Coordinates of all heavy atoms in Angstrom, one line a residue:
N428 N 19.3 -0.8 10.3 CA 19.7 -2.2 9.7 C 20.3 -3.0 10.8 O 20.3 -4.3 10.6 CB 20.8 -2.0 8.4 CG 20.0 -1.5 7.1 OD1 18.9 -1.7 7.1 ND2 20.7 -0.9 6.4
H429 N 20.9 -2.3 11.7 CA 21.8 -3.2 12.7 C 21.3 -3.1 14.1 O 20.8 -2.0 14.6 CB 23.2 -2.6 12.7 CG 23.7 -2.3 11.3 ND1 23.9 -3.3 10.3 CD2 24.0 -1.2 10.6 CE1 24.3 -2.8 9.2 NE2 24.4 -1.5 9.5
I430 N 21.5 -4.2 14.8 CA 21.0 -4.1 16.3 C 22.4 -3.8 17.2 O 22.2 -3.0 18.1 CB 20.4 -5.4 16.7 CG1 19.0 -5.5 16.1 CG2 20.3 -5.5 18.3 CD1 17.9 -4.4 16.7
A431 N 23.5 -4.3 16.7 CA 24.6 -4.4 17.5 C 25.4 -3.0 17.2 O 26.3 -2.7 18.0 CB 25.6 -5.5 17.3
H432 N 25.1 -2.2 16.2 CA 25.8 -1.1 15.9 C 24.9 0.2 15.8 O 23.8 0.1 16.3 CB 26.4 -1.2 14.4 CG 27.2 -2.6 14.3 ND1 28.5 -2.6 14.8 CD2 27.0 -3.7 13.7 CE1 28.9 -3.7 14.6 NE2 28.1 -4.5 13.8
G433 N 25.5 1.2 15.4 CA 24.7 2.5 15.4 C 23.8 2.6 14.3 O 23.5 1.8 13.6
M434 N 23.2 3.8 14.2 CA 22.1 4.2 13.1 C 23.0 4.6 11.9 O 23.0 5.8 11.6 CB 21.2 5.2 13.7 CG 20.4 4.8 14.8 SD 19.2 6.1 15.5 CE 18.3 6.4 14.2
G435 N 23.5 3.6 11.2 CA 24.1 3.9 10.0 C 23.4 4.3 8.8 O 22.2 4.6 9.1
G436 N 23.9 4.2 7.6 CA 23.1 4.5 6.4 C 22.0 3.7 6.2 O 22.0 2.5 6.4
G437 N 20.8 4.3 5.9 CA 19.6 3.6 5.8 C 18.7 3.6 7.0 O 17.7 3.0 7.1
S438 N 19.2 4.1 8.1 CA 18.4 4.2 9.3 C 17.3 5.3 9.4 O 17.5 6.2 8.5 CB 19.3 4.5 10.6 OG 20.0 5.9 10.4
I439 N 16.3 5.1 10.1 CA 15.2 6.1 10.1 C 14.9 6.7 11.5 O 15.1 5.8 12.5 CB 14.0 5.3 9.4 CG1 12.9 6.3 9.2 CG2 13.5 4.0 10.4 CD1 11.7 5.5 8.4
F440 N 14.2 7.7 11.5 CA 13.9 8.2 12.8 C 12.7 9.2 12.7 O 12.5 9.8 11.6 CB 15.0 8.9 13.5 CG 15.7 10.0 12.9 CD1 15.2 11.3 13.0 CD2 16.7 9.8 11.9 CE1 15.7 12.4 12.3 CE2 17.3 10.8 11.2 CZ 16.8 12.1 11.4

Side-chain angles (χ1 to χ4, degrees):
N428 290 335
H429 319 293
I430 289 296
H432 304 288
M434 292 176 61
S438 59
I439 189 171
F440 57 89

